[in-house]
Amino acid sequence: MTYVVTEGCIKCKYQDCVIVCPVMCFHEAPEIVVIDPDVCVDCDLCVEYCPTKAIKRDEDLAPHEQIFLGLNRELSRLWPVIENKGVVPSDADAWAGVPDKIKYLTQLE
Ligand code: SF4
Ligand code: F3S
């Protein structure tokens, strides 16, 4: 099992999850943070800290969210660990709740 960052994080990146993770398994890509599934210890701590409810257990992913399982693994190999909360995007609140944000992941292009 692992935990997975899903669509809600895209362009929001509130980073409250990063502070509570005991094993620093979050990596920061330009429009999303992701969880390294090989480092996550499934402690569940980060889930309630995400304002957009973007973090889910892999077994709770809806069919349309399955893509985020591989995406977290893939992007955690490409982008560095984020150890502390940085600057939250100034328009984060405007993006919270916007559907179909996966198309805005420029790092997939
Ligand atoms: Fe970190 Fe625990 Fe969240 Fe995994 S479940 S990403 S170990 S805080
Ligand atoms: Fe993203 Fe939520 Fe963390 S918006 S950066 S998963 S607190």
Side-chain angles (χ1 to χ4, degrees), residues 24-63:
M24 290 198 301
C25 59
F26 285 94
H27 292 244
E28 184 178 18
E31 286 106 0
I32 191 172
V33 305
V34 290
I35 292 169
D36 183 339
D38 294 332
V39 179
C40 176
V41 293
D42 307 329
C43 72
D44 198 63
L45 267 177
C46 56
V47 172
E48 66 176 290
Y49 283 87
C50 176
T52 68
K53 306 291 180 210
I55 305 171
K56 303 183 178 178
R57 296 194 307 175
D58 56 0
E59 56 201 48
D60 294 333
L61 293 173

Side-chain angles (χ1 to χ4, degrees), residues 8-9 12-17 49-52 85-86 88-89 92-94 96:
C9 182
C12 289
K13 287 210 309 190
Y14 286 107
Q15 302 161 68
D16 299 302
C17 54
Y49 283 87
C50 176
T52 68
K85 182 170 178 171
V88 175
D93 291 350

